[in-house]
Amino acid sequence: MNFEPIIQTVLVLHFLGLALIIGSFALQLRRKQGFELGTMLIGAITQLVTGLILVGLVQMADEDVDNAKIAVKLIFAVVVLIAVIVARSRQAKALSAGTSEKKATLPFVHMAGMAALVNVFVAALWH
Ligand code: HEM
């Protein structure tokens, strides 16, 4: 069976997930409060799901997968997801307590964006 069209299609979804995380992060880079984190969350989940599907498909197509590279990408993708989830929960708590959203949320938003950026470099430069 020719897996190439399926691999390319999932790769497009993988690029869209990347755009959701980095695009949303870039738009909010200078923000100190009022973060919109739903888009980053959808992107983070998309990257994990499409990334894992890609690994399976590439192996089914009998192509080589660089396990070390995938392990590093998996770790950073999990960091992105956890950072966004923590940011969302700290944002909700800060809003209901009326305390500073900047202190509670901003570091985790930036951690998520940076970890995603690291993964772009890993994907592009590690061959
Ligand atoms: C924030 C998370 C992630 C970002 C920003 C990201 C980014 C990218 C980019 C830009 C590419 C295209 C580069 C190329 O084809 O050489 C790519 C391909 C790929 N990614 Fe990801 N990725 C992420 C997470 C993951 C995860 C969690 C996995 C698997 C567990 C994964 C597995 C793959 C695979 C198998 C490819 C196909 C090309 C290759 O062999 O490297 N990715 N990713």
Side-chain angles (χ1 to χ4, degrees):
M1 185 178 164
N2 181 14
F3 288 101
E4 270 322 301
I6 311 173
I7 291 176
Q8 298 304 327
T9 306
V10 179
L11 196 56
V12 170
L13 297 177
H14 203 60
F15 282 125
L16 292 177
L18 158 64
L20 289 181
I21 303 176
I22 305 271
S24 174
F25 175 58
L27 283 172
Q28 303 185 67
L29 203 52
R30 309 204 59 181
R31 212 174 269 190
K32 307 280 181 260
Q33 59 188 19
F35 295 101
E36 193 286 301
L37 299 169
T39 310
M40 285 180 85
L41 181 64
I42 294 170
I45 295 169
T46 306
Q47 285 316 80
L48 266 179
V49 173
T50 54
L52 290 170
I53 292 174
L54 271 174
V55 174
L57 287 171
V58 170
Q59 281 178 343
M60 282 165 85
D62 271 341
E63 290 168 27
D64 282 335
V65 182
D66 186 334
N67 285 328
K69 175 180 170 178
I70 294 302
V72 169
K73 285 188 69 181
L74 189 56
I75 290 168
F76 279 99
V78 169
V79 168
V80 176
L81 182 61
I82 291 175
V84 175
I85 291 171
V86 171
R88 275 168 63 95
S89 108
R90 288 174 66 98
Q91 182 185 44
K93 278 187 197 143
L95 286 177
S96 66
T99 53
S100 160
E101 209 196 307
K102 179 182 170 190
K103 223 171 149 189
T105 318
L106 187 143
F108 292 93
V109 178
H110 283 220
M111 189 195 293
M114 286 306 167
L117 207 55
V118 169
N119 254 357
V120 178
F121 280 100
V122 171
L125 302 180
W126 186 330
H127 282 289

